[in-house]
Amino acid sequence: MSDANIRIPVEARDRLAEIAAAEGLSLRGWLARLAETALTPAERVARAERAEALLRRWNGYGPDAGERADLDREIDRRLHRVDLV
């Protein structure tokens, strides 16, 4: 595998290296694992569509656009309440 250089601020590099070390990995190894496991936007959409189709078949779940917006607002409200956002 060939390597690539990515320019980031030193502070960001050091923070990522600390996170990697805490997981017993080099920064290079941690970034490679991240690239293998993180989903692209298209992959997230596909996964969400599959999950929704499964839920629809299993229990009839199928909110319309307005219901989705309401659910998104409720999730945001709850995340803010526990200070995760």
Side-chain angles (χ1 to χ4, degrees):
M1 169 182 9
S2 61
D3 288 339
N5 291 320
I6 301 172
R7 297 179 59 86
I8 62 172
V10 172
E11 296 82 10
R13 182 209 56 207
D14 292 347
R15 178 176 171 79
L16 293 174
E18 183 178 344
I19 293 167
E23 295 183 26
L25 296 168
S26 66
L27 179 53
R28 182 181 188 275
W30 187 83
L31 288 171
R33 186 183 71 185
L34 176 65
E36 292 171 2
T37 59
L39 300 175
T40 66
E43 290 167 334
R44 285 194 304 273
V45 167
R47 181 177 281 188
E49 289 171 349
R50 283 193 311 272
E52 187 173 324
L54 288 170
L55 286 169
R56 192 176 302 111
R57 283 197 305 270
W58 178 56
N59 67 5
Y61 177 80
D64 62 29
E67 291 168 324
R68 285 176 201 234
D70 290 342
L71 292 167
D72 286 344
R73 280 191 293 277
E74 178 63 14
I75 289 171
D76 288 343
R77 184 188 69 77
R78 290 181 185 204
L79 289 174
H80 281 96
R81 191 172 70 201
V82 295
D83 201 26
L84 292 176
V85 176

